[in-house]
């Protein structure tokens, strides 16, 4: 079993592909908590940090993905490497294309319905748009890591 897949059991689906040129020109949606929460989901999340259209996602090797909502103090920026997210307290920076590991958990899946999505959007800003809401996870800590597999030395 590949550890690069989400270690959190998510029922993930794919999304429509968008040309690379189009992705580069779109400013991604960056949903963040509107407050600092004392309650943190603690499942381990891992995957490749990607931009799909205007959605920033964590994707696994099987094509599944989830849109994270970030801690309040997280910062979205862009440099010569492209878009990045910085955790202000730790200084940790991840760029689109990095393999990452973090803590968080499943917050929403498409089957949960519109009311649950409204509940999520009530605690984040800006709202997570429909095209980014197939699966949503909270993420409270993250770092760039290397992808590895069981049995790899």
């Amino acid at each position: 079993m590949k550890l690069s897949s989400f270690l959190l059991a998510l029922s993930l689906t794919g999304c429509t592909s968008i040309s690379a040129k189009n992705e580069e020109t779109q400013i991604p949606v960056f949903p963040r908590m509107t407050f600092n929460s004392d309650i943190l989901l603690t499942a381990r999340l891992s995957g490749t940090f990607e931009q799909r259209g205007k959605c920033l996602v964590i994707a696994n090797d099987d094509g599944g993905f989830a849109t994270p909502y970030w801690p309040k103090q997280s910062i979205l920026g862009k440099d010569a490497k492209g878009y990045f997210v910085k955790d202000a307290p730790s200084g940790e920076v991840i760029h689109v294309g990095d393999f990452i590991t973090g803590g968080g958990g499943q917050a929403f899946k498409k089957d949960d319905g519109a009311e649950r999505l409204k509940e999520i959007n009530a605690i984040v800003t800006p709202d997570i748009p429909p095209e980014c809401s197939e699966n949503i996870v909270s993420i409270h800590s993250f770092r760039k890591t290397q992808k590895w597999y069981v049995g790899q030395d």
Side-chain angles (χ1 to χ4, degrees):
M1 172 185 241
K2 294 180 181 179
L3 284 181
S4 63
S5 296
F6 285 111
L7 296 177
L8 173 66
L10 297 174
S11 170
L12 301 175
T13 58
C15 73
T16 56
S17 62
I18 296 172
S19 73
K21 183 176 181 181
N22 195 12
E23 283 185 8
E24 291 172 5
T25 61
Q26 291 193 34
I27 298 172
V29 175
F30 185 61
R32 294 180 305 140
M33 294 281 296
T34 57
F35 58 92
N36 291 318
S37 177
D38 293 332
I39 301 171
L40 302 174
L41 299 176
T42 59
R44 182 176 174 203
L45 303 172
S46 62
T48 303
F49 181 47
E50 297 181 354
Q51 181 178 357
R52 295 188 180 186
K54 64 180 177 180
C55 310
L56 293 173
V57 303
I58 301 170
N60 65 24
D61 287 344
D62 300 327
F65 70 95
T67 300
Y69 62 85
W70 304 89
K72 181 179 180 178
Q73 66 276 16
S74 298
I75 299 164
L76 175 68
K78 188 174 183 181
D79 60 16
K81 293 182 185 179
Y83 285 105
F84 66 85
V85 174
K86 179 178 181 179
D87 180 55
S90 72
E92 191 70 41
V93 174
I94 57 172
H95 281 87
V96 169
D98 288 343
F99 186 81
I100 67 167
T101 300
Q106 178 80 48
F108 176 85
K109 57 186 182 304
K110 192 174 189 176
D111 298 346
D112 291 342
E115 287 304 311
R116 177 67 181 138
L117 182 57
K118 284 181 187 177
E119 291 172 6
I120 299 292
N121 280 332
I123 63 169
V124 301
T125 188
D127 283 358
I128 300 170
E131 60 267 41
C132 301
S133 65
E134 289 279 326
N135 292 288
I136 300 171
V137 293
S138 69
I139 189 166
H140 59 77
S141 60
F142 50 88
R143 63 187 171 93
K144 180 179 175 179
T145 58
Q146 288 187 324
K147 186 186 289 191
W148 63 277
Y149 302 100
V150 173
Q152 179 180 338
D153 292 329

